[in-house]
Amino acid sequence: MPYPVVTPEPGVTRQVLSETPDMMLVAVGFAAGACGKPHSHHHVQATYVKSGRFTFTLDGVAHDLTPGDSLVIPSHVTHGCVCVEAGDLIDAFTPRRDDFL
């Protein structure tokens, strides 16, 4: 079943790729300069940079990521990102983000 592409923030697109109650895989596209606003959630999140350049901030610490880089965001850690060069992320969440469905 294909999932719709949604626009949660200006310059950001998101599409659920697959999901079960225990895990979810999501493609997220960013235009240059677009932001993922700081937030936190109970899910553990892994992010893989498919293309582009991003600066992620986790608990106030900046991490510059380029294609092939990844990071794990622990549960309840405040995090966000700024897209430096347009690109795509692949995010995995455990458990599933029911708010994305």
Side-chain angles (χ1 to χ4, degrees):
M1 162 170 113
Y3 295 90
V5 175
V6 298
T7 305
E9 300 284 342
V12 180
T13 60
R14 179 178 71 215
Q15 183 178 30
V16 171
L17 300 175
S18 59
E19 52 86 17
T20 72
D22 297 322
M23 178 178 275
M24 174 179 271
L25 196 62
V26 180
V28 188
F30 282 82
C35 297
K37 294 179 183 176
H39 63 285
S40 66
H41 42 71
H42 73 274
H43 310 85
V44 175
Q45 177 179 347
T47 297
Y48 171 79
V49 180
K50 183 177 174 185
S51 62
R53 291 179 48 226
F54 296 84
T55 299
F56 277 82
T57 302
L58 279 67
D59 272 348
V61 178
H63 304 270
D64 293 322
L65 301 180
T66 58
D69 290 340
S70 63
L71 57 82
V72 172
I73 302 165
S75 181
H76 300 291
V77 168
T78 300
H79 60 283
C81 73
V82 175
C83 180
V84 178
E85 179 182 301
D88 297 297
L89 303 174
I90 302 295
D91 287 342
F93 297 93
T94 183
R96 169 181 66 203
R97 293 280 307 252
D98 290 335
D99 57 323
F100 283 9
L101 297 175

